[in-house]
Amino acid sequence: MARILVGVSGGIAAYKACELVRLFVKAGHEVVPVLTPAAEGFISYQTLNALARRSGGAGPYPHLEHADLFVIAPATANTLAKLAGGIADNLVTESALAHSGPLVLAPAMNARMWANPATQENMRVLRERGARTVGPEEGELGEGGSGVGRMSEPEAIFACCQELLAAFDSLAGTRILISAGGTREPLDSVRFLGNRSSGRMGVALAAEAARRGAEVTLVAANLSVPAPGGIELVEVASAAALADAVLGAEADVIVMSAAVADYTPAAPESGKRHKTDENWTLELEPTTDVLRELGRRRHKGQLLVGFAADEGDAGLERAREKLREKKVDLIVFNDISQPGIGFDADENAAVLISKAGEVVLSKAPKSKIAAGILDEIERLRR
Ligand code: CTP
């Protein structure tokens, strides 16, 4: 049984929150309903508390006590904007700011409000911080007409919450090291050779692993997104520093999602190189292949996960080969020839390759892909 906060913001779909509360109660969970003032125009505390079988008697701040999961259904454009901005001006937004576990959002609004770049940007920010979203769906809208903006049905929201609760603490006691971002190889004191990795995938993995109760160390190379809370953060810049941090650590699971430079300038200059009319020829030397080294040194019971960013079917074949050749347990293949996924994108798609077979994760926000990868890691550890 879990303690679930059900937040309701002010939209016509608020009536569907009744059914959601009923499903949670039927599944044996404790439900604490919280409403925004606008939601109270659509539905009453009395109704939701009765469905939640709450007779009062709780402390003065039941919404600020620990909850295993917080779901906001419906989440209006206004509430999403407040959540993205960290505003706490009512019980729902206050609860969200105080809550540290999984957050599920079921947006509901007019189709044009949903399509607005401001709403889309807020959704991107919230997903990046680890929120799971359900819907909205395409269909008939409350104000008439149709479009994308209709809240998902309570059953779908309930299923998403149950999935997150099942994963709850499933990695307790497991030490996971995740490398993320892209390394920078110095050419001189101001220039470097880098790559386009933002670190989003690794950050999503770290957030999801922490949510599942793992002890997470994030070896972060030049992230362009903030690291999640509740983890140990080790910041590195170059491939050599990343190798030191990863190879010197103790972990049950190591996930190499960082884009580590394969080559580094052989003789970086210590000061700033000044311009001349001559060509500048660089000599690059190979770096340590950290994943391969981990495969060599692995201790019994340790699980190793590598990433392969490559193109098309030939790339998939090379990724399969990498599994054997680098002696790892799982390779996450991203097809970088597909538009809108992979490097520096909010979404990803992957093929998870292990000796046990292959699992295809179709295009989804990186938080969802992270959950799929960790499900597979848990399966392989069993
Ligand atoms: N990796 C590593 N150390 C390196 C380079 C890469 O640990 N110096 C890891 C990456 O973190 C990733 C995997 O190895 O998990 C990628 O393997 P790699 O052989 O570098 O493949 P790609 O760069 O995808 O492809 P290519 O073979 O073309 O280099």
Side-chain angles (χ1 to χ4, degrees):
M1 185 187 99
R3 187 171 194 269
I4 300 176
L5 269 176
V6 176
V8 184
S9 56
I12 184 69
Y15 76 93
K16 290 192 192 170
C18 294
E19 179 59 14
L20 184 61
V21 168
R22 211 186 57 77
L23 289 168
F24 284 137
V25 171
K26 213 171 129 196
H29 300 306
E30 179 194 350
V31 176
V32 181
V34 277
L35 279 71
T36 64
E40 289 189 72
F42 292 91
I43 188 172
S44 76
Y45 267 110
Q46 209 178 350
T47 309
L48 289 176
N49 279 331
L51 288 167
R53 300 185 190 148
R54 288 179 71 80
S55 52
Y61 306 110
H63 63 294
L64 296 181
E65 286 168 21
H66 171 78
D68 301 309
L69 184 137
F70 186 20
V71 51
I72 307 183
T76 59
N78 191 34
T79 290
L80 293 171
K82 288 180 186 174
L83 297 184
I87 293 171
D89 65 345
N90 61 47
L91 280 191
V92 170
T93 50
E94 230 176 81
S95 311
L97 211 53
H99 176 71
S100 56
L103 172 67
V104 176
L105 302 168
M109 67 199 71
N110 164 281
R112 288 194 302 279
M113 289 167 78
W114 172 249
N116 189 290
T119 305
Q120 290 303 313
E121 176 61 13
N122 291 332
M123 289 301 294
R124 190 188 65 74
V125 166
L126 291 165
R127 283 190 189 117
E128 200 163 275
R129 286 188 205 141
R132 282 285 289 269
T133 54
V134 190
E137 316 287 335
E138 182 159 11
E140 209 174 292
L141 299 173
E143 74 277 15
S146 68
V148 177
R150 185 187 159 87
M151 188 173 91
S152 292
E153 290 307 317
E155 289 75 14
I157 302 168
F158 172 74
C160 172
C161 295
Q162 286 290 82
E163 191 189 308
L164 286 172
L165 288 169
F168 188 64
D169 270 359
S170 54
L171 285 172
T174 308
R175 293 164 307 169
I176 297 196
L177 182 142
I178 297 166
S179 72
T183 58
R184 292 178 178 177
E185 306 308 305
L187 289 165
D188 66 5
S189 60
V190 296
R191 302 177 179 91
F192 58 81
L193 294 178
N195 60 66
R196 281 173 48 213
S197 175
S198 62
R200 284 193 176 95
M201 193 61 240
V203 164
L205 278 163
E208 182 63 24
R211 199 172 296 130
R212 295 180 183 206
E215 276 174 48
V216 181
T217 302
L218 181 67
V219 176
N222 314 297
L223 301 183
S224 49
V225 291
I231 58 142
E232 188 197 349
L233 181 66
V234 179
E235 289 186 283
V236 295
S238 64
L242 185 140
D244 284 347
V246 174
L247 294 172
E250 284 286 323
D252 305 307
V253 178
I254 300 184
V255 183
M256 286 294 297
S257 68
V260 187
D262 292 327
Y263 296 92
T264 191
E269 294 182 31
S270 55
K272 183 183 169 193
R273 181 190 169 97
H274 294 285
K275 184 168 54 188
T276 68
D277 291 334
E278 305 296 309
N279 286 356
W280 180 6
T281 305
L282 282 175
E283 190 184 338
L284 303 177
E285 62 184 22
T287 57
T288 304
D289 188 326
V290 183
L291 189 61
R292 187 185 300 274
E293 192 54 36
L294 287 168
R296 262 190 221 122
R297 298 182 184 189
R298 87 153 69 225
H299 59 72
K300 203 164 165 275
Q302 190 178 46
L303 192 117
L304 299 176
V305 183
F307 273 62
D310 209 326
E311 295 175 290
D313 289 344
L316 180 58
E317 203 40 61
R318 276 191 291 274
R320 290 178 181 132
E321 186 49 42
K322 219 158 267 177
L323 180 81
R324 287 185 283 277
E325 199 222 321
K326 294 202 182 185
K327 299 189 174 59
V328 298
D329 303 285
L330 181 65
I331 288 281
V332 179
F333 168 69
N334 302 125
D335 186 347
I336 51 171
S337 65
Q338 305 239 348
I341 64 159
F343 279 125
D344 209 15
D346 297 327
E347 295 198 311
N348 212 349
V351 183
L352 309 183
I353 309 167
S354 72
K355 271 193 198 143
E358 296 186 4
V359 177
V360 176
L361 301 178
S362 47
K363 190 172 166 183
K366 284 184 173 169
S367 54
K368 189 144 186 232
I369 300 293
I373 294 171
L374 284 164
D375 286 347
E376 186 64 7
I377 288 174
E378 288 191 30
R379 215 170 59 80
L380 291 172
R381 269 170 66 80
R382 283 196 293 271

